Amino acid sequence: TARAQDGFVKTQGEAYVKLAFTNFASDDFYNTNGDQVGQSEVFTQRNLVLYGEYGIIENLTAIVNFPVLRTNAFANTNTVYGIGDLWVGLKYGVKLGGFHLAASINPEFPTGNSSASVSFLNEQGQELSLVLPTGDGEFNVWSWLGVSRGVSLASWASGYASLGAGVNLRTKGLSHQIGFRAEVGSRLFENLFVQVQSRAQIVPSDDLAFGGFILGEGTDFITMGGLVGITLPSLPLTIEAEWM
């Protein structure tokens, strides 16, 4: 249930902490109409993220998500280093029958550097700069509703399914976003955990503010991914590998 976040909450005094390293790289670029605008130098973003949950009281969980290190770079530029935007939240959940229902509110604070830039040489040998921020420079609030259900599959396997939907209210002229997520997971033989997940986002407004792709302005997408985790014997630690 530590991974099935949507409908589940922690019991009072229970904690879950994850330190994750993520790597994203692509040389495909699209405009806000979804049209590919060609290929360029590979853009790479790496993150070291600290995530935690803590059960404050029964049914109420505190959440924190903080990129303690973020790097941005193109293949032909230097690299920006900094922290990302701090995301905190509170989630209240109840159980109805066999279903776990939860609602959360999650403010995100502009702790990252929204004006961080890199330098590069153009074809004429001139040194130019390009803004690659480690944060979007605006205060926003994600609100989520989620439902989850756990099931017993066999004496050696248990599983769950979760659905969630949310709205991101943005400021400083950036467009609001609507998000969806779904996942199914199973624990096998106590030490093995597998998960399949999908994420989607739409921007309902056509009135888009100017901003680089890294701000997520006007970004619609659907993703699919999977995760495999192994719990270390006799230790409260799990090592996970995820692809999306």
Side-chain angles (χ1 to χ4, degrees):
T1 59
R3 301 163 186 78
Q5 300 169 19
D6 275 308
F8 295 101
V9 293
K10 292 284 173 281
T11 59
Q12 184 174 4
E14 182 184 11
Y16 169 72
V17 177
K18 178 170 69 174
L19 184 65
F21 171 77
T22 67
N23 181 80
F24 169 83
S26 179
D27 61 357
D28 294 323
F29 294 88
Y30 298 80
N31 62 26
T32 53
N33 293 322
D35 303 317
Q36 188 170 6
V37 294
Q39 293 182 313
S40 181
E41 298 288 343
V42 175
F43 169 76
T44 301
Q45 182 180 93
R46 296 183 174 97
N47 295 280
L48 186 65
V49 181
L50 181 64
Y51 175 85
E53 299 179 2
Y54 179 75
I56 304 173
I57 58 175
E58 292 301 317
N59 302 327
L60 185 64
T61 294
I63 306 171
V64 62
N65 191 79
F66 185 37
V68 296
L69 178 63
R70 171 168 290 169
T71 70
N72 294 320
F74 281 94
N76 62 338
T77 70
N78 60 332
T79 302
V80 166
Y81 297 87
I83 63 174
D85 290 341
L86 172 65
W87 186 91
V88 297
L90 289 173
K91 180 166 66 169
Y92 182 82
V94 297
K95 186 175 181 181
L96 294 177
F99 293 91
H100 297 260
L101 309 175
S104 65
I105 183 167
N106 312 283
E108 186 176 64
F109 299 91
T111 53
N113 185 352
S114 61
S115 59
S117 62
V118 296
S119 60
F120 67 98
L121 296 177
N122 64 9
E123 295 179 353
Q124 290 74 39
Q126 298 172 309
E127 185 173 344
L128 304 176
S129 62
L130 175 68
V131 176
L132 287 181
T134 63
D136 57 22
E138 53 107 21
F139 173 80
N140 59 282
V141 180
W142 269 105
S143 299
W144 281 91
L145 294 174
V147 56
S148 301
R149 177 159 186 159
V151 294
S152 178
L153 302 174
S155 60
W156 47 270
S158 60
Y160 74 90
S162 290
L163 294 173
V167 176
N168 184 19
L169 300 179
R170 307 186 80 182
T171 57
K172 293 193 174 182
L174 295 174
S175 301
H176 306 319
Q177 301 166 333
I178 300 174
F180 304 92
R181 58 194 183 203
E183 61 184 50
V184 292
S186 180
R187 180 177 292 280
L188 309 171
F189 305 107
E190 295 298 323
N191 293 327
L192 177 64
F193 180 81
V194 294
Q195 176 183 295
V196 177
Q197 56 184 284
S198 178
R199 302 286 185 270
Q201 178 178 287
I202 60 174
V203 176
S205 174
D206 293 326
D207 185 18
L208 302 177
F210 174 79
F213 68 92
I214 203 168
L215 301 182
E217 174 65 350
T219 303
D220 300 332
F221 63 81
I222 299 175
T223 66
M224 293 290 295
L227 179 150
V228 176
I230 298 176
T231 301
L232 301 181
S234 304
L235 292 174
L237 296 175
T238 299
I239 298 175
E240 298 176 346
E242 182 176 1
W243 174 88
M244 181 168 286

